[in-house]
């Protein structure tokens, strides 16, 4: 026997799926008509504004109040501008400027653009307090390392997005900023007592709840004092006792992607992960990016079987589905006039640039960009100074495979501008900088998280607090190279 149609529709109402390519396949639209809560759009789904507007219209033809979500954080995480880089600076840059009104305006502009394209949920902002310089997955996605500053800007971002009619989703509860592992690949552990979380990680979540945030995303992190051996996504102590009872959140709890190893491995697969997340108090289950009709049906069947066998309370799933439906009803047909992002985003990025030392006299330097791998959250998005350079020559190298003497010969009498991301932890990066700076005038541009490391002997150290298109232009302007 197949899954009972009523149970299937109930289960589908808690699922956020995805599909490949720029055109929604028939099954993706059919599932929406049959009760699927919605879809998340990724870079592979986005070619240009006209195509994206047609995509959202096609999904809405399946059901008018379908949830259409996207990760559009600005800065290093962009889906709309994945081919070029975002015209907005990200959270680290906005935190560095420390102008909450600017943060609100930037997020309002992002929200207006999303709303005009038919997108109803932005899986942003990231409100984690990035207290670990070695954090591989948050970094410049965070407003900073100070809980109070992050709280103020998180609330401003939520207000900006939601003023445009797009639901904000603050992430990643109860805080991913102290981790030194990537939950896409493993289950990170934050081994601190709840009192530390309340002081260090949770103030931004309290602030966004006060600001009326529509949704909060779970973190696939282990906090032993609260979650035991599993992730927060599967913990009632985190999602019900802490988030709802203590912090008073009444909106939709969305899981981070269940295909991530921090969840799927811990549960034994995406289907079991969905059951455990619902039982713990999650409402809307983000399956992930690699989704097809078969996987959606598998997850729905797992939820239905769990209800039928008593492993999952039907009332809990009905509660989750009702919350998700209410969110969909509130965001239905949201629209806003798109704004011109360029002036706002690029001016904001320029305000964030910090210079230590002197950048005067950089006449036709050799610009050396060091290769840095992207995280799954960021994806392969262009970055650097290249698109903004005038007559300066640029080369791109891998630090561990580059002979400093070869770069010196190539530069000749010209100064060198060395551009990198997270240089303090880039294999071979600090050594290459030191070797060049020992005999050559070197300016270093850091486009990743601004750690305490500084390059010995460098003429100047420039920090952009992000690697978006806007950040790259701002750095080129500061250096006089644009």
């Amino acid at each position: 026997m197949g899954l009972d149609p009523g149970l299937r529709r109930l289960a589908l109402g808690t699922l956020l799926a995805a599909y490949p390519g720029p055109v929604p396949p028939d099954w993706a639209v059919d599932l929406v008509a049959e009760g699927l809560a919605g879809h998340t759009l990724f870079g592979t789904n986005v070619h240009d504004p006209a195509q994206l507007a047609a995509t959202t219209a096609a999904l809405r033809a399946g059901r008018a109040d379908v949830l259409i979500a996207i990760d559009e954080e600005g800065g290093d995480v962009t889906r709309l501008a994945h081919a070029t880089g975002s015209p907005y600076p990200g959270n680290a840059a906005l935190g560095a400027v420390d102008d909450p009104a600017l943060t609100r305006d930037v997020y309002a502009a992002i929200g207006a653009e999303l709303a005009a394209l038919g997108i109803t949920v932005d899986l942003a902002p990231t409100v984690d307090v990035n207290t670990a310089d070695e954090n591989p997955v948050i970094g410049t996605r965070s407003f900073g390392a100070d809980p109070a500053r992050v709280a103020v800007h998180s609330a401003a971002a939520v207000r900006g997005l939601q003023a445009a009619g797009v639901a904000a989703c603050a992430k990643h509860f109860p805080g991913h900023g102290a981790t030194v592992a990537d939950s896409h690949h493993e289950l990170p552990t934050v081994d601190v007592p709840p009192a530390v979380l309340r002081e260090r990680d949770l103030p931004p979540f309290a602030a966004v709840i006060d600001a009326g945030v529509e949704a909060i995303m779970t973190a696939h992190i282990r906090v032993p004092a609260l979650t035991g051996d599993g992730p927060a996504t599967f913990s009632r102590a985190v999602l019900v006792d802490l988030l709802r009872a203590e912090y008073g959140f009444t909106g939709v709890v969305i899981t981070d992607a269940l295909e991530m190893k921090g969840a799927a491995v811990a549960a034994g697969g995406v289907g079991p992960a969905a059951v455990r997340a619902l039982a713990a108090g999650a409402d809307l289950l983000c399956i992930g990016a690699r989704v097809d009709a078969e996987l959606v049906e598998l997850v729905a069947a797992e939820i239905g079987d769990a209800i039928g066998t008593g492993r999952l309370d039907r009332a809990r799933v009905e509660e989750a589905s009702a919350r998700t439906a209410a969110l969909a009803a509130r965001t239905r047909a949201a629209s806003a006039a798109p704004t011109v992002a360029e002036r706002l985003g690029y001016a904001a990025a320029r305000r964030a640039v910090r210079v230590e030392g002197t950048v005067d006299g950089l006449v036709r330097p050799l610009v050396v960009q060091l290769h840095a791998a992207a995280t799954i959250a960021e994806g392969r998005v262009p970055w650097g100074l290249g698109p903004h350079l005038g007559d300066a020559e640029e080369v791109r190298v891998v630090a561990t495979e580059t002979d400093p003497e070869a770069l010196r010969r190539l530069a000749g009498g010209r100064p060198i501008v060395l551009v990198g991301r997270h240089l303090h932890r880039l294999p071979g990066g600090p050594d290459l900088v030191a070797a060049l700076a020992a005999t050559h005038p070197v300016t270093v541009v850091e486009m990743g998280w601004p750690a305490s490391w500084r390059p010995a002997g460098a003429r100047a150290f420039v920090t952009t607090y992000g690697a978006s298109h806007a950040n790259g232009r701002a750095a080129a302007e500061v250096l006089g190279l644009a």
Side-chain angles (χ1 to χ4, degrees), residues 383-482:
W383 65 280
L385 306 191
H388 316 288
L389 296 175
D391 57 359
E393 179 185 2
E394 182 191 45
V395 295
R396 301 190 177 199
V397 303
V398 176
T400 55
E401 301 173 4
T402 301
D403 178 9
E405 184 55 37
L407 287 178
R408 290 191 195 97
R409 289 195 299 269
L410 182 61
R414 296 174 293 170
I416 292 175
V417 174
L418 195 146
V419 184
R421 294 172 75 175
H422 316 295
L423 276 165
H424 69 287
R425 67 170 188 257
L426 182 69
D431 291 340
L432 180 61
V433 175
L436 290 172
T439 60
H440 213 91
V442 173
T443 295
V444 176
V445 179
E446 171 59 79
M447 301 191 76
W449 181 254
S452 58
W453 173 83
R454 292 295 181 269
R459 184 170 181 262
F461 185 74
V462 178
T463 307
T464 63
Y465 293 87
S468 74
H469 193 272
N471 295 129
R473 180 185 290 185
E477 290 174 351
V478 167
L479 296 172
L481 306 179

Side-chain angles (χ1 to χ4, degrees), residues 222-235:
R222 175 176 173 261
V223 185
L226 292 173
T227 71
D229 292 332
T233 300
F234 302 157
S235 171

Side-chain angles (χ1 to χ4, degrees), residues 323-374:
R323 283 203 188 104
T324 297
L327 174 64
R330 288 194 296 274
T331 57
R332 177 178 177 176
S335 62
T339 61
V340 178
E342 184 166 335
R343 181 176 300 174
L344 173 65
Y346 290 104
R350 180 65 182 80
R351 290 175 64 184
V353 177
R354 301 291 183 266
V355 177
E356 301 171 32
T358 178
V359 295
D360 295 336
L362 285 175
V363 179
R364 300 185 64 189
L366 174 66
V367 178
V368 180
Q369 179 166 320
L370 298 184
H371 171 77

